Amino acid sequence: MDIKMNKDTMELLSIISGILEEEPELLNARENEIYLRVSETGFESATPVLAERKFSLIGLFCAEAFEKKDGFTLFYVFKRAGRAPTLVLVREAGNEKKVTSVAGTFPSASWFEREIRDGFGLDFAGALDTRRLFLHECYPEGFHPLQKAFKNGPIRPLEVPEKEYKFRQVKGEGVYQIPVGPVHAGIIEPGHFRFSVIGESIFSLEIRLFYNHRGIEKLAEGKSPSECVALAEAVSGDESMANAAGFCIAVEQVCGITLPERAERLRAIMLELERIYSLLGDLAGMAVDVGFSLVSSPFSILREEVFRQNEKLTGSRFLRGITIPGGLKKDIPYSALKDLLVFFDKFSKAFESAYDRVMSSSSLIDRFATTGVIKKELVSPLNLTGPLARASGCPADTRLDRPYGAYRDFSPEPSVRKRGDVLSRFEVKADEIRASVNLILRLAENLPQGSVFAETGSAGNIGNSDRTGSSGVTGYSLALVEAARGQNLHWVYLKNGLVDRYKVRIASFCNWQAIEHAVIGNIVPDFPLINKSLNLSYAGTDL
C-alpha cells in the first residue's frame, strides 16, 4: 500500500511511538488519518496514556476478515482537539470471543462496545454496561447480524423474550418513576425515557432507543459505492447531504480521486443549505415547546422557503440524489444559483426580525436561561460535538479542525458560548445560520466553470459503467464531516471495488448520552424543551 506521511501524521506517529512500549505496525496513512496495528499488551498500555494526553475516543467499530485476517478486527478512532490528524489503533481480536473494555478510561466506548457486542457477538471484559443496545429482547440469543456468516433476510422475532431489559433502579424516600414512550403523542420517532423524580425535579434519566433497527450497514455489504449512496442518504433524513458527502469522501480517498473545484464548492453550498434548514427547525421547535407559536412561525416559514430553494437547485427538498463518488450527478444551473443569492438577501432580513422578536421576550428568555445545562467537562469523555458542544464552551468544528472539500479554502465563522444551557444553544444555532448564509455567498462568488465530476483518479477507471473510479479497488479510509448536529464519521472498506464494510456513526449517537446529564435538577415539564434544544436523531442512531 502507498503510505503518504505529512508533517502532522509524522508528528502523531512520533507521539504514539513514545507512548507504546513496542514499535507499532504502520498500516496506512493519509493527510488526516493514520492506522497503527498494536499488540494486545501495547494497546492496554497505550489507552490510559492517550486519555492523559487529552485524546478523545470518537469512534470504535469492528470488521470481520479484514485484510485477510481471521476473525474480528477492532478499530479505535482517537482525536485530539485542534487540527491534529485522526489516530486509528487497530486491535486484532481474531477468533477470541472476549477482549478487555476501555469504557472505564473512555466513557464514550460504552455504547460502541454494546453495539459491537450486538452486531458481532464480541464481549468486552470489564465493560460498564453489558445490556443489549440495538438488538432488543425480541431478537434471539446468538443472533449477530453483522457477522459475515449471517445472510441478510427476514428473521422471526421471539414472541416471548427470554430476558427482561433491566433499567437502572434509583431508590430513596420520595423517589418515583415516570416512564415516557417509546410511543409518543405527535409525529416523532420511538424512544423510551425513564425518569426518576422527586416531586417535579428530575433525579435521574435513562434513555432507551433503537426500536427500528434497519440493517443499513449489512445492506451495504457487496454493493458498489454508487449503490450505497442512497443508503447513506437514508441514515437520517435531515442529514442526507452530510451523510452522502461523508460516504463519498471516504470512497474518493480510497480511490485517490480529486474533485474539480466547482464540484467541491457546490457540495459545500448544499451542505450549508442542509445546516440552515435543520437549525431553523431547531429554533422553531424550541419556541413551540414553551408554547410561543407566534415567534416560532417565522422560522418555520423560512425553513419551508429553504426547502423550495433546495428543490430548485437539485430537484430534491432534502438534497438527495445529486451526490456521487467522484462529484455530482449533474451541474446546478446558473439561474438557480442566481435566484439563491437573491433569496438570501430577503432571508437575512426576515431571519433577524424573527430572532429579535425572540430575544425581546423576557418570559421566553426566562425559560431558556439556566435550563438543561451541559457541562464542558462532559464534552470530551462522551465525544459531544456540534452546536451542543460549542454552546458549552468547546469550539471544535470538523470544518475547521479537519477541513475537507471546499472548507479547506472557505472557513465558517465559529460561534461559541460558555453557559451550556438552552439559551446558549439557541444563540449558537442562530449564529451558525448566519455563518452558513455568509459562507454560501462566498462559495457562490466567482464560482469556477467546468466539470462537476472527476475525470481521472489514481484508480484510473473513471468513465466505466460505475463512474466512481472504484472498480477493482481494495482499500479503506475514514471521513469526518460536520453535519448540523455535529461530527459524523464514515468508514468504508472496499474489496475489489465493492463495499465489504461500511460503518457510519452520526453525531447523535454520542450526543444522546448528554441528555441524561442535561435534565438533572430540572423539572419534568422542561424536558421537551431540553430535548428539542438538542434535536437529536432517533433514526440516525438506529442503523
Side-chain angles (χ1 to χ4, degrees), residues 361-378:
S361 170
S362 57
S363 61
L364 189 144
I365 298 297
D366 184 57
R367 290 293 304 278
F368 282 10
T370 72
T371 301
V373 173
I374 295 174
K375 296 178 180 177
K376 183 179 181 180
E377 291 76 18
L378 291 171

Side-chain angles (χ1 to χ4, degrees), residues 63-311:
E64 186 176 0
F66 173 71
E67 298 283 84
K68 300 180 181 178
K69 289 280 185 180
D70 287 338
F72 302 120
T73 301
L74 295 167
F75 299 82
Y76 293 77
V77 186
F78 296 94
K79 191 176 185 313
R80 288 195 300 175
R83 299 189 64 155
T86 303
L87 167 68
V88 184
L89 290 188
V90 179
R91 186 186 189 187
E92 298 294 349
N95 293 313
E96 297 291 331
K97 296 296 183 183
K98 183 176 287 189
V99 296
T100 54
S101 166
V102 296
T105 306
F106 294 98
S108 60
S110 184
W111 275 31
F112 293 140
E113 291 176 350
R114 292 171 68 189
E115 183 185 44
I116 291 171
R117 181 190 178 281
D118 285 359
F120 291 90
L122 186 62
D123 286 319
F124 290 84
L128 301 179
D129 191 338
T130 58
R131 296 173 297 177
R132 291 185 175 192
L133 188 70
F134 71 84
L135 293 181
H136 283 210
E137 288 64 44
C138 61
Y139 293 98
E141 285 290 334
F143 173 67
H144 302 293
L146 289 175
Q147 289 184 355
K148 294 293 185 187
F150 174 73
K151 302 302 178 188
N152 213 2
I155 68 158
R156 178 176 295 179
L158 297 175
E159 293 183 4
V160 180
E162 297 169 355
K163 293 181 180 178
E164 178 186 357
Y165 186 84
K166 299 286 187 182
F167 284 91
R168 289 195 302 264
Q169 295 293 314
V170 179
K171 297 180 179 178
E173 185 177 353
V175 178
Y176 63 98
Q177 290 189 339
I178 303 176
V180 177
V183 178
H184 303 270
I187 305 172
I188 60 175
E189 293 169 285
H192 181 80
F193 303 88
R194 184 70 60 99
F195 295 92
S196 296
V197 299
I198 303 175
E200 281 199 291
S201 297
I202 301 171
F203 190 67
S204 173
L205 168 65
E206 183 175 5
I207 63 173
R208 194 176 195 207
L209 309 175
F210 310 98
Y211 285 87
N212 282 326
H213 180 63
R214 295 170 290 166
I216 283 181
E217 292 180 359
K218 189 70 178 181
L219 279 171
E221 291 181 7
K223 288 187 167 53
S224 71
S226 296
E227 292 173 319
C228 283
V229 175
L231 291 177
E233 290 176 335
V235 167
S236 183
D238 56 2
E239 295 180 11
S240 294
M241 186 62 208
N243 287 322
F247 173 81
C248 291
I249 290 169
V251 172
E252 289 154 4
Q253 288 172 169
V254 173
C255 300
I257 298 171
T258 301
L259 267 59
E261 184 180 355
R262 183 175 178 84
E264 297 273 36
R265 285 220 219 173
L266 289 173
R267 262 193 194 173
I269 287 173
M270 291 185 284
L271 287 166
E272 295 308 312
L273 282 167
E274 183 172 81
R275 189 180 322 280
I276 291 170
Y277 83 67
S278 180
L279 296 180
L280 282 168
D282 294 2
L283 301 189
M286 282 187 257
V288 164
D289 277 8
V290 295
F292 207 167
S293 298
L294 183 65
V295 301
S296 165
S297 297
F299 294 123
S300 297
I301 291 169
L302 289 173
R303 185 171 187 254
E304 170 60 26
E305 290 177 352
V306 174
F307 278 134
R308 295 179 184 184
Q309 290 297 321
N310 292 347
E311 189 168 20

Side-chain angles (χ1 to χ4, degrees), residues 51-68:
E52 292 172 4
R53 300 280 183 94
K54 308 297 183 187
F55 281 80
S56 296
L57 181 69
I58 68 170
L60 166 57
F61 50 89
C62 183
E64 186 176 0
F66 173 71
E67 298 283 84
K68 300 180 181 178

